[in-house]
Amino acid sequence: MMSRSYTNLLDLAEGNFAALGPAGGSGRQRQGSFGMRRMSRVMTVPGTLSELDGEDESEPAATNSVASDAPSSLAADRVIVVSNQLPIVARRRPDGRGWSFSWDDDSLLLQLRDGIPDEMEVLFVGSLRADVPVAEQDEVSQALLDRFRCAPVFLPDHLNDRFYHGFCKRQLWPLFHYMLPFSSSASAATTSSSVAPSSPGNGRFDRSAWEAYVLANKFFFEKVVEVINPEEDYVWVHDYHLMALPTFLRRRFNRLRIGFFLHSPFPSSEIYRTLPVREEILKALLNCDLIGFHTFDYARHFLSCCSRMLGIEYQSKRGYIGLDYFGRTVGIKIMPVGIHMGQLESGLRLPDREWRLSELQQQFEGRTVLLGVDDMDIFKGINLKLLAFENMLRTHPKWQGRAVLVQIANPARGRGKDLEAIQAEIEESCRRINGDFGQSGYSPVVFIDRDVSSVEKIAYYTIAECVVVTAVRDGMNLTPYEYIVSRQGAPGSESVSEVSGPKKSMLVVSEFIGCSPSLSGAIRVNPWNIEATAEAMNEAISMPEQEKQLRHEKHYRYVSSHDVAFWSRSFILDLQRACQDHFKRTCWGIGLGFGFRVVALDPHFTKLNMDLIVNAYEISESRAILLDYDGTLVPQTSINKEPSPEVLSIINTLCSDSRNTVFLVSGRDKDTLGKWFSSCPKLGIAAEHGYFLRWSREEEWQTCTQALDFGWMQMARPVMNLYTEATDGSYIETKESALVWHHQDADPGFGSSQAKEMLDHLESVLANEPVSVKSGQFIVEVKPQGVTKGIVAERILASVKERGKQADFVLCIGDDRSDEDMFENIADIINRNVVDPRTSLFACTVGQKPSKAKFYLDDTFEVVTMLSALADATGPELETDSADELAASISSLDIGDEQSESSDRPIGGS
C-alpha cells in the first residue's frame, strides 16, 4: 500500500494543495512569472538518458522558461547553486521606493565561487531574507538575475513559516543534532512565536509540516526549471532545507548532474530511524550523483541508514566511496568546509582592528584570556564551558586573578523553553563565578551577549591564548579556523599592536563538532565531562611555548591550504567525475512519489518481449529451458517456498513436448528439490549449483566431477560455528557438497560485517583446499571448485547436442549472483558450436538491475506468466513451410543483442 507521504507528494506534484489544509492555501498563489507545471507520475519508456528528458508534448512549457532539452553548442558548463537563502542582503530604500541589494560577504555560498573554475558561470537560486510584496516580485527577480545572477524564490508567508520553522527547525534540525521529542510538551530551541502551540511547536512529527516542506521544495524546483539548461548545467543543492529537491529534479531531467552537501551533522541510524519519513528523504538524496558530508562519521551514519533501511551497501574503490542504486553509482564525498582566507586576512589589515586590539590588550594586560565564540542555542554547550572554567579555577587556584574567560554569545535566533532554561543557567553561572572568584579590577568571566562585528571578533581572537569550543553537537564550527588565522596575522603585516614573538595558539575543542578530526593538534574533550574539560583548559594554557608554536604551525598549514575554495573546487571535480558516464547508459525513470528513481542499465539490456519469445519458441525444433528456483519461480520473500500447483502444471506441460529439455538449476539440495518436484517426471534437476544432476525422475543422480575429498568441511565448519555463535539470527545449512552460512535474520549491519570477516577468515583457512568461498545475498557459501551454474548449463547444452538435438532455442532465467555465472557462460556458446548457429538465445534476469543477461522481467509473476505463454504455445511440431514463414516474419526483429558476424541467425544474441 502506498504510504500517505507518497500520496502527498503526488498531490503536490499535480498542483493539488488541498492536502495542506487552510494553512497551506496560500500555496495556490504563484509568485513571479512561472506557472504551475504538471509532472508525469511515472516514466516507463526505456531509452537513452538524452531521450528521456523530453516533457510530454501535450504539456505546455513553463512561461518564460529558458530550460531546454536540446543540446546547445554555444552554452558552457554552469553551476546552479541552490540553497534556502541567497547570499544577498536586501534592504528597502529609505524613500520606500524600491530595493537596494548587495552581496552578503559572510555567506559561504558567495565564498565558494572562488573554487569554481573560471570558465564556469555560477548562478544562485534561493529565497531572500526580506518580505517582498507580490506586486514587486517580478521586478526584483529580474533585477537580481541581471545584476547578481541570482534567481529568487518567493514562498508565501504561511508556507514559509510551516516549511522553515515547522519542519526544518522543529523536526530536522533537532533530530540531526540528536534531540528527540520524548514528550508532547518538548519544544525545539527555535520555536517561533508566530506559530500556534497546536502546530509543530510540540516537537512531535507533524504531517502538515512535512507536506509544507515538500511543497516548498517544489517551489525551489520550479525556479530551477526556469533558468536551467539540463544539457550543460550542474546543480549543487545545499543543506537539509532542500533534501526533497533532488527527486523533483531527477523526475523532470533524468540525466541532470546533481550534487548535494549537508552542512549539519547526520545522525546515527538509531536516531534517524525515528523520523516517520526516513525512507522518503533517503531515497530523495539518492537521486543525487554526489552527496557531501563534513566528516566520515556523518557519512558513515548515512551509509548505515541506507544499509539498514534500504538494503543498499556501499563499496570503496580507489579511494572513492559509492552506493550502487539501481545501476547508478551515487558518490559519497567527505570534505570539511574551510574559511575564506582572503576575507579574513583583509579583516586583519583593517585600521579598525588596530585600535580595538590596542584597547583589548590594555583591558586584559597581565591576564591569560580564554575565548569562546558561539551562537546562543541549546547545542553550543556554553553552560558546560562555564562549569568547566569554574572547576579549573577551583582545582588550580594559581589561575584565580589571572585567567579570564571571554564568552561572546551571538544573539539567539529563536525561542523555546529549553533555550530559556539554558540562558538562565548561563546568567546564574556568570554571577556565581564572578561572585566567588572576582576581585577588584578582575572579573573571571566576561560575557558579551550582543552582535559583535567581524573586526572586533578578530581583535578578540588575536589576544586569546586559547579558544574553547564545547558544543555538544555541531555540523562544522569554523571558530577554531578563524582563531588560528587571526593568531597568525596577515602576511606581510607589521602592525605595532601585533602579538610579538613566534606565532602560537591553543585549542580545546569538543569531539562532537565537525572540525575536530581535522585539528590533530587540538585538545579534544567530551564537553559533558566537566572535570576533564577543566583539566584540558589548564593543560592548554600551561603548555610550553614551543609546543604551542608547533601545534599552531601544524594547524595553520592545514587551515590555509584547505580553505573554502579548496572545498568547493574539490566537490565540483568529484561531481564531474561522478557524472562522466551519464550519456552512455540506457535508463528508466520508474516509481511514484519519493519512490521515483532512475534505473541506469547497459544500452543492450531490454525487457523480454512476450510475443518475440513465443514466436521464437514456436519455430524452434530443439529447445533448452534452464530455470533458477528461489527468486525466479517463487518470491524470495515468500515463507512457503514450495512450488505452486500452477508452476508444477506449467513445467509438466513444457516437459511433455519432446522438443523441450527443461532443467531446474538451483542452489538447493537434491532431496528437497526431488521431493517438491516429484510430480514432474520428465523435469531435469541440477541441485547444489550443479554438483548433483539428473535428467528425469527415473534416473539416478550424477555428480559433476569425480569423487572428491570433503575433508575441507571439517576445517570450515568450526570457523562457521564460531561466527554463528557470535551472530544472533544466523545459522549453517549443510549440503552434501557445500556449507552455507545464512544471516538474513541477523542485524543487517552486524550480519554484513560478520559475513565479510568470515569470508576473509575462510579464504585464509582454506587457501590450499580445492574449494571456492563466495558471498551472496545474505549468505557465505563454501563449495568445491568448478561447481557453478555456468558450467552445468554448458554441460546440459553439450549433452543435448550429443543426443542429436542441438538446441536452436535457449532460455535461461535467474535472479541472483550465482545465475550471473550461467548468463556469462552461455553468452558465447554459439561461437563455441555448442548450439545451432541460428539459436535464439534469451538470457533473462529477474528485476531491473545490472546484469550479464540481455533481458529482464520485473518479478516472479512475470516469469510465471511468460512460462505459461510458452506452455500454451506447446503443441505438435510445425510443418517446415510454416516454420520458415514464422522465421521470416521475425527475422528483422531486434531483441537487443549484437549479431554474430559469422552467422545469419534471425534473432540470436550473446
Side-chain angles (χ1 to χ4, degrees), residues 304-571:
S304 176
C305 288
C306 290
S307 173
R308 289 175 173 271
M309 298 165 205
L310 302 179
I312 303 172
E313 299 293 339
Y314 76 91
Q315 292 182 335
S316 182
K317 184 178 181 181
R318 296 183 179 178
Y320 295 102
I321 299 175
L323 289 160
D324 187 359
Y325 188 58
F326 293 96
R328 292 173 50 247
T329 298
V330 181
I332 302 298
K333 175 74 172 176
I334 302 168
M335 176 63 70
V337 71
I339 59 174
H340 194 287
M341 289 293 294
Q343 180 182 345
L344 193 54
E345 289 173 349
S346 296
L348 289 168
R349 293 189 178 96
L350 290 175
D352 253 9
R353 171 180 172 270
E354 295 296 320
W355 70 264
R356 289 184 184 278
L357 182 57
S358 177
E359 186 180 74
L360 292 176
Q361 286 172 337
Q362 292 179 17
Q363 179 182 349
F364 296 106
E365 185 177 3
R367 313 291 189 196
T368 299
V369 177
L370 295 92
L371 177 65
V373 181
D374 304 278
D375 293 334
M376 177 59 77
D377 74 40
I378 62 176
F379 295 111
K380 299 304 181 184
I382 298 175
N383 52 332
L384 299 177
K385 187 186 306 180
L386 291 169
L387 293 175
F389 181 68
E390 180 182 23
N391 185 282
M392 185 192 78
L393 294 178
R394 292 190 188 281
T395 309
H396 302 279
K398 66 179 180 179
W399 294 114
Q400 295 178 18
R402 295 172 55 198
V404 177
L405 173 63
V406 177
Q407 176 61 54
I408 299 174
N410 302 319
R413 289 177 286 183
R415 305 177 192 174
K417 294 179 180 178
D418 293 330
L419 181 57
E420 291 170 1
I422 286 178
Q423 286 177 310
E425 181 182 344
I426 290 171
E427 292 171 3
E428 171 57 29
S429 295
C430 290
R431 284 194 298 268
R432 184 180 65 253
I433 297 171
N434 286 335
D436 291 349
F437 302 101
Q439 304 169 9
S440 176
Y442 168 70
S443 295
V445 176
V446 177
F447 189 75
I448 304 172
D449 58 346
R450 58 173 172 82
D451 282 319
V452 176
S453 68
S454 58
V455 175
E456 185 178 0
K457 195 184 300 181
I458 289 173
Y460 274 108
Y461 284 142
T462 306
I463 66 159
E465 190 72 18
C466 175
V467 156
V468 184
V469 182
T470 54
V472 297
R473 192 70 60 180
D474 207 350
M476 186 59 193
N477 199 312
L478 296 175
T479 294
Y481 288 11
E482 295 172 351
Y483 165 65
I484 290 165
V485 176
S486 298
R487 291 285 285 182
Q488 180 70 18
S493 173
E494 297 182 0
S495 168
V496 295
S497 301
E498 201 73 59
V499 177
S500 59
K503 309 298 183 181
K504 60 184 187 297
S505 62
M506 277 306 301
L507 291 166
V508 175
V509 298
S510 166
E511 62 190 49
F512 303 119
I513 63 176
C515 68
S516 174
S518 62
L519 298 170
S520 57
I523 301 176
R524 300 188 183 100
V525 296
N526 173 4
W528 299 103
N529 189 333
I530 304 299
E531 293 78 12
T533 305
E535 288 303 316
M537 289 181 178
N538 174 64
E539 180 185 353
I541 57 181
S542 302
M543 190 172 288
E545 298 299 300
Q546 185 178 7
E547 180 67 19
K548 293 178 182 179
Q549 180 184 348
L550 291 173
R551 294 187 183 218
H552 169 80
E553 290 173 354
K554 183 178 184 180
H555 287 157
Y556 182 75
R557 282 196 301 269
Y558 175 84
V559 172
S560 60
S561 60
H562 291 71
D563 61 356
V564 66
F566 177 87
W567 168 76
S568 61
R569 180 168 54 251
S570 177
F571 189 91

Side-chain angles (χ1 to χ4, degrees), residues 555-604:
H555 287 157
Y556 182 75
R557 282 196 301 269
Y558 175 84
V559 172
S560 60
S561 60
H562 291 71
D563 61 356
V564 66
F566 177 87
W567 168 76
S568 61
R569 180 168 54 251
S570 177
F571 189 91
I572 290 297
L573 289 175
D574 273 12
L575 181 58
Q576 291 174 327
R577 180 190 58 80
C579 300
Q580 62 187 359
D581 293 331
H582 265 35
F583 301 94
K584 299 178 182 178
R585 294 183 176 183
T586 300
C587 74
W588 284 260
I590 61 173
L592 298 175
F594 281 104
F596 179 85
R597 67 272 188 195
V598 169
V599 179
L601 301 165
D602 186 275
H604 300 293

